[in-house]
Amino acid sequence: MALTDEQLIDAGVRGGLIEPPVLENLRLESRRQRQQLLAMVLARYRFPVSTLYRAVAEQRGFAYVDLNALAVDTALLKKMPASLVRRKHLLPVVDGERTLLVVADPGDRATIDSVQRLLGRALTPAMADLQLLQLKVAQALAGKGGPADSEAGPAGNEADPVALLDTIIREAYLNRASDIHLLTEASGLRVRLRVDGKLRDYPAEAGAPVAASVVSRVKVLSGLDIAEQRQPQDGGFSYHLSPPIDREFNIRVATAPTRLGERITMRLLGQETGGLTLTDLGMLDDDLRRFRKAIHKPYGMILLTGPTGSGKSTTLFAALQEINHPDINIMTVENPIEYVMDGVSQIQTGPKISFADALRSFLRHDPDVLMVGEIRDHETADVAVKAAMTGHMVFSTLHTNNAVSAVTRLIDIGCEPFLIGSTMTAVIAQRLVRRLCGHCRRSRFASQDELLELGAADESVEIYEPVGCAACQGTGFRGRLGLFETLWFDEKLARLVARGADEEALEASAGDRLRFMWEDGCRKVRLGLTTLDEVRDVAVNKTREMPELS
């Protein structure tokens, strides 16, 4: 037996994950809508049920383990009745030099005591993700020669790929995943979710036939050719999650043939359209003030640079959300449309319309603000720059490694330096790092090496490190924030660009109008927002004298 819904909810309240007034409102709503209260709580706070199981473990003093990293003690498992193991969800595992008994309900002392008497030894009880525990129990029973669990797997009924896919997408949403990876392996379907930039496995019990059915289901939804299995394909679809989540978002799909079958990557787009604000991006106050000033200018060009998945589109749409008023005309051209915004005319490019074609058409519709999803060729760049020259504010993205190289990239594409200098307002290079969990982060003093990296003169600088708790699912991090390298143009920089100055000259002349990404990252480390390891992963140690923190 697993824990009851009320026990899980109570653990969430005790752990500060669920607010009592919100819970009371949800109780009333669950009765009115005839929805399960636990499902409504998960949807409201957007975390998976494993978060509440971890909260129970913390409050009762039990270890919470990752079953993917531990081996089953088959010798002990063979001594346990298969019916008891299956019914009570029990599993003996080896963790280093000790053996643990992973249980679904740590309060069931009668079952734990009877198992220990049966085995003739004491085992330390522990807890794990219930879905993963159910899957591992079924696999272990089948492996030891006992009868496999005939019930549906933890991720849904094997005979129903539609329900399985719905469960996977639902769990991806609750886990705040940005991508879903469906891999066909020899054992069947492997599901991986990218959460806060890191991949983690999601337990799904599905053999090879089910894996093929799920792949076909995704291809049908995406409008792809289900008979074509030897060529990569791209597509997408809109998906609506039923109540209590009751959300619809777009999913971008890419397929690729592999040795064992097709793999699919799905990117969940525009999950937080209504909540996009500039203050949530992670910009520090001085950069945020300059950015707000820049986006409210009547004309010019603002470029966001960085690799795929670095949050460029999110930053641009947060800016558009702030300036979106009935008295201005905002038009965007994208591929695909990631965020749907009220009051904004959005066009998606395709075989019959390119970025440049859409942009030319927009200029005949009296726009005030234009957003181009990406500048990738001379034609698009030329139209965008000339639109900025003729009194429009243009937002766009570019693939470069830092802010200053955006100028070089535009020149390489074929733009005239004097046009770039005349139109450029700001260039912001962006990366994403994981944000430290506010519930469990732990402070300590920085080491001498860390002080050198931080550029700190003071020897008693306090920084924070991850710990892991229920709120962050044991990772020590929850959510992400941006690191920004900002270049704010003025007349001096515009003249240098117009004269064809190189990147070194621009950096030397920018002064305080250029802040390197490493500097921004170190300031956020000292503010306790992230860690030096996270900054090292995305930024190069390139600094000048560090400004004092306000």
Side-chain angles (χ1 to χ4, degrees):
M1 291 293 291
L3 295 166
T4 66
D5 289 0
E6 283 299 328
Q7 288 175 312
L8 292 171
I9 292 171
D10 181 63
V13 173
R14 290 171 179 267
L17 302 173
I18 302 170
E19 301 159 291
V22 175
L23 178 60
E24 290 309 309
N25 290 335
L26 290 176
R27 285 189 191 278
L28 295 175
E29 282 293 307
S30 68
R31 296 190 193 104
R32 187 175 64 84
Q33 298 181 16
R34 297 185 179 180
Q35 294 277 353
Q36 185 184 20
L37 177 59
L38 179 60
M40 295 191 72
V41 168
L42 300 181
R44 168 63 176 78
Y45 286 96
R46 199 175 170 190
F47 52 63
V49 70
S50 60
T51 296
L52 298 179
Y53 275 90
R54 188 182 290 270
V56 171
E58 288 179 359
Q59 292 162 26
R60 300 191 184 183
F62 288 87
Y64 192 91
V65 297
D66 177 11
L67 289 177
N68 284 320
L70 302 177
V72 176
D73 191 324
T74 53
L76 291 181
L77 182 64
K78 289 178 179 179
K79 298 179 181 179
M80 299 167 61
S83 58
L84 178 67
V85 170
R86 183 184 306 113
R87 188 176 71 256
K88 296 290 188 178
H89 308 307
L90 308 170
L91 200 63
V93 298
V94 179
D95 181 17
E97 296 182 355
R98 61 177 182 167
T99 303
L100 304 175
L101 180 64
V102 182
V103 297
D105 182 2
D108 189 359
R109 292 303 311 179
T111 298
I112 295 173
D113 291 343
S114 64
V115 168
Q116 293 184 138
R117 284 195 300 270
L118 180 67
L119 298 177
R121 57 181 294 187
L123 299 179
T124 303
M127 293 183 66
D129 180 288
L130 179 62
Q131 293 174 319
L132 184 57
L133 176 59
Q134 290 174 330
L135 177 59
K136 293 295 184 180
V137 165
Q139 292 174 344
L141 289 177
K144 80 168 190 175
D149 198 341
S150 61
E151 298 176 2
N157 192 329
E158 281 209 10
D160 188 357
V162 175
L164 176 57
L165 180 62
D166 183 80
T167 301
I168 291 170
I169 296 176
R170 183 179 297 271
E171 287 298 315
Y173 177 82
L174 292 177
N175 278 275
R176 301 172 185 262
S178 60
D179 300 85
I180 303 171
H181 294 245
L182 304 178
L183 292 79
T184 303
E185 298 187 341
S187 58
L189 182 68
R190 181 184 182 188
V191 181
R192 306 179 80 191
L193 307 179
R194 186 174 294 279
V195 180
D196 294 338
K198 304 294 183 181
L199 283 172
R200 63 176 68 165
D201 280 298
Y202 172 74
E205 187 176 15
V210 180
S213 297
V214 171
V215 168
S216 296
R217 169 68 176 164
V218 174
K219 292 171 75 174
V220 168
L221 290 173
S222 308
L224 304 180
D225 183 359
I226 62 172
E228 178 57 72
Q229 300 180 0
R230 298 184 180 182
Q231 294 290 332
Q233 298 185 69
D234 296 319
F237 59 95
S238 294
Y239 199 85
H240 181 265
L241 287 173
S242 60
I245 294 177
D246 198 21
R247 295 290 296 273
E248 183 170 352
F249 45 84
N250 294 326
I251 298 178
R252 187 168 66 199
V253 175
T255 72
T258 65
R259 180 175 61 88
L260 296 173
E262 286 185 284
R263 66 160 290 157
I264 285 181
T265 301
M266 299 188 287
R267 171 155 290 186
L268 280 61
L269 305 172
Q271 301 177 59
E272 298 294 340
T273 309
L276 281 177
T277 64
L278 288 180
T279 54
D280 296 332
L281 299 177
M283 276 190 186
L284 297 177
D285 289 343
D286 47 353
D287 279 337
L288 186 56
R289 185 170 57 253
R290 283 176 158 176
F291 189 46
R292 282 198 164 112
K293 183 178 178 181
I295 65 176
H296 282 94
K297 287 188 174 182
Y299 58 86
M301 177 178 284
I302 296 176
L303 290 180
L304 271 291
T305 76
T308 301
S310 60
K312 301 186 300 295
S313 296
T314 302
T315 301
L316 285 181
F317 273 96
L320 291 181
Q321 189 91 325
E322 177 148 323
I323 64 175
N324 184 16
H325 297 290
D327 57 349
I328 67 171
N329 181 18
I330 301 176
M331 309 184 79
T332 75
V333 52
E334 310 163 60
N335 186 15
I337 294 174
E338 297 192 25
Y339 298 94
V340 177
M341 295 185 67
D342 294 334
V344 176
S345 299
Q346 298 174 267
I347 288 182
Q348 180 163 320
T349 61
K352 295 185 178 181
I353 183 170
S354 65
F355 279 105
D357 292 336
L359 204 48
R360 286 194 194 92
S361 173
F362 280 174
L363 293 175
R364 294 189 286 272
H365 289 269
D366 187 31
D368 296 296
V369 177
L370 296 169
M371 199 281 277
V372 187
E374 181 184 348
I375 293 177
R376 61 179 72 174
D377 53 44
H378 170 259
E379 192 177 15
T380 306
D382 185 60
V383 178
V385 169
K386 288 178 178 175
M389 271 296 278
T390 54
H392 306 90
M393 174 53 74
V394 179
F395 296 88
S396 191
T397 69
L398 200 64
H399 287 291
T400 64
N401 289 325
N402 55 51
V404 175
S405 61
V407 174
T408 308
R409 174 65 177 149
L410 287 176
I411 294 173
D412 290 342
I413 289 176
C415 293
E416 294 289 345
F418 76 91
L419 287 176
I420 301 172
S422 301
T423 57
M424 199 62 64
T425 301
V427 181
I428 301 174
Q430 178 173 338
R431 301 291 189 278
L432 293 177
V433 293
R434 292 184 293 174
R435 187 189 294 266
L436 277 167
C437 175
H439 285 81
C440 65
R441 65 177 187 171
R442 180 170 56 207
S443 66
R444 64 174 176 83
F445 289 110
S447 67
Q448 287 298 319
D449 290 341
E450 290 169 335
L451 288 172
L452 289 174
E453 288 187 283
L454 292 169
D458 188 357
E459 294 188 359
S460 59
V461 173
E462 192 175 51
I463 61 176
Y464 290 82
E465 60 185 7
V467 177
C469 66
C472 59
Q473 299 183 53
T475 63
F477 299 91
R478 182 167 173 81
R480 291 193 285 180
L481 76 156
L483 296 190
F484 303 95
E485 181 169 298
T486 52
L487 178 61
W488 311 103
F489 279 76
D490 58 6
E491 291 183 6
K492 179 182 176 182
L493 285 179
R495 286 195 299 269
L496 286 173
V497 172
R499 291 202 298 264
D502 59 18
E503 294 181 20
E504 290 77 11
L506 291 175
E507 286 186 4
S509 303
D512 67 348
R513 304 189 72 81
L514 170 64
R515 173 173 289 132
F516 292 116
M517 188 175 295
W518 181 266
E519 295 174 351
D520 188 55
C522 288
R523 294 179 78 194
K524 286 165 181 172
V525 169
R526 295 176 66 181
L527 289 169
L529 300 176
T530 189
T531 67
L532 259 178
D533 284 338
E534 289 291 306
V535 177
R536 292 188 195 107
D537 284 345
V538 299
V540 177
N541 190 342
K542 191 174 185 179
T543 64
R544 293 170 297 197
E545 186 176 348
M546 286 291 292
E548 289 299 320
L549 292 177
S550 56

